Amino acid sequence: MAKIPVQFRLNGSDRAAFVDAPETLLNTLRRGLGDFAPKYGCGQGACGVCTVLIDGEPHLSCLTLSVACEGKRIETASGMADGPDLHPLQAQFMEHFAAQCGFCTPGMLTVARALLDRNPNPTRDEVIEAISGNICRCTGYEPIVAAILAAAGSPGMRRSEGGRHA
Amino acid sequence: MLDVRHCATLAEAAGIVSGDRQAVLLGGGTLVMRDVNEGRLTEGTLLRVTDPVFRRIEAGGGRIELGAGVTMGMILANRDLAFLHAAARAIGGPAVRNMASVGGNLFAASPYGDFTVALLALDAQVVVQAGFGSGRAVPLEEFLAARERSGPALVTAVQFSRPSNPGEFHFRKISRVRPKGISVLSIAAHLPQSGGRMAQVRVAYGAMAPTPIRARGVERALEGKSLDAGAIQMAKQAALEGCRPATDAIASEWYRREVLPVHLGRLLAGDGR
Ligand SMILES: Cc1cc2nc3c(=O)[nH]c(=O)nc-3n(C[C@H](O)[C@H](O)[C@H](O)COP(=O)(O)OP(=O)(O)OC[C@H]3O[C@@H](n4cnc5c(N)ncnc54)[C@H](O)[C@@H]3O)c2cc1C
Ligand code: FES
Ligand code: FES
């Protein structure tokens, strides 16, 4: 079957890809466009490692059709650093040892970013709720929650391009 | 090979659903795309409805209509639907909620279908444009009873009346993992009071039968009574009428039967546990 062209903004740049009709956004990002931040964990919506922002809101790219993303704004953890300067969430994840193997980290950073865009001063419970769709098998969550709360208090929180208040 | 078709109008989607038995409607895809990734769905056509009506919320007045493509996230962002927020928040984590649709929840197999439980206690009607009962609004209970044998369908919306006092509508989901876990069971209850007595009581359960069901025994036990300890005791005694829970990875049939009356009692007593 013929490939289908799709165009969307990825981390602020216009990108295009030729995809199969039932291809997932996760496959297009990783195989087609070389963005390896979102990972393939379960392919079932259960682990959250494939989470990306679509128009500022968290979505599971393993369950999203690429052809449904025409004209959308997609953001992944790859777009969070500004050159050599880490995003405050990334800096706080390092500071708090919130990554061990790192497999869950891009998904955690992405849902945390969406939370802080909407709610710059979340409570601990709101942080726990925000990461509740993301599984980490190493850190035990506590350092992740601490890192997100610390980033919320840190100066220089940048908003994602598609964030509601952007 | 699996194909994808984009339908700009509901009429176009209805035409395809009626004529093509291999057409699969795509809501948020949180269940359909699992099948695609697992290789269980490899043939046919995925139908994506892009008609804005499919994702429209009309909630300004007493009669509410939610397009079948409305997501849990859209409900949570709508202040007029605050009484449904507990039920919408019960579905998965934030990313799932941005995708999971009202229409898809009507088809989700037990123990999923938590939002449908809330709709059942609101006496919702399902608007079907192709397939089972098409061209009319079907009572949700009738729709669920026929769901497995009715073949492909296009649900366009659900409709229900706003509870006149939102404080009389209750929902709780019982799960083993907080804040996000699959249902051991869920309960929704609409307990309208008039002159200190309950009238038109509606109680519904999720995960206590192959589809969400109405708790008729409980409704009978409460109808016309005031919500006191005696009525709650009677409701608990009638709690299991009509229940056929499954044993699955989340809980055994025995466990579901044991804990349902306890949780029903707590909900009726307004106990926040
Ligand atoms: C990690 C995870 C956690 C979850 N947790 C919960 C939970 O706690 N509670 C819960 O209830 N569910 C849960 N679910 C299941 C699911 O996300 C929800 O039930 C959701 O509402 C399904 O909607 P959807 O739009 O994604 O369905 P889809 O996958 O798009 O569709 C599901 C089925 O319904 C059919 N369908 C969809 N829309 C229509 C329509 N308008 N007309 C006709 N047929 C239609 C499809 O063809 C398909 O057969 C979870 C899923 C995941 C991945
Ligand atoms: S890979 Fe998408 S949720 Fe696990
Ligand atoms: S750091 Fe290993 S899964 Fe989270």
Side-chain angles (χ1 to χ4, degrees), chain A residues 21 43-44 58 62-63 129, chain B residues 4 33-34 37-38 97-99:
Chain A
Q44 296 286 292
C62 74
L63 301 180
E129 173 66 40
Chain B
V4 178
M33 292 302 291
R34 285 174 159 190
N37 288 342
E38 291 285 299
R97 293 198 282 271
N98 284 330
M99 304 170 71

Side-chain angles (χ1 to χ4, degrees), chain B residues 5 7 10-25 45 47 128-135 150-156:
Chain B
R5 280 188 65 173
C7 303
L10 288 169
E12 185 186 347
I16 298 170
V17 168
S18 308
D20 177 359
R21 289 199 68 81
Q22 280 206 316
V24 176
L25 214 105
T45 306
L47 290 188
V128 188
Q129 196 165 334
F132 170 77
S134 69
S150 58
L154 171 63
V155 172
T156 59

Side-chain angles (χ1 to χ4, degrees), chain B residues 168-236:
Chain B
E168 292 170 344
F169 185 74
H170 309 270
F171 176 87
R172 63 173 69 185
K173 169 177 168 174
I174 314 305
S175 57
R176 298 192 187 220
V177 184
R178 283 181 194 224
K180 190 201 91 148
I182 299 172
S183 272
V184 170
L185 57 92
S186 53
I187 311 174
H190 187 205
L191 311 169
Q193 309 263 346
S194 117
R197 300 193 175 277
M198 287 175 280
Q200 301 271 300
V201 172
R202 294 287 180 273
V203 180
Y205 301 146
M208 290 306 295
T211 68
I213 52 165
R214 286 265 296 277
R216 301 262 176 207
V218 175
E219 294 177 0
R220 272 198 314 276
L222 296 177
E223 190 70 27
K225 309 263 173 50
S226 61
L227 189 54
D228 55 22
I232 292 173
Q233 194 50 38
M234 303 256 288
K236 285 172 74 173

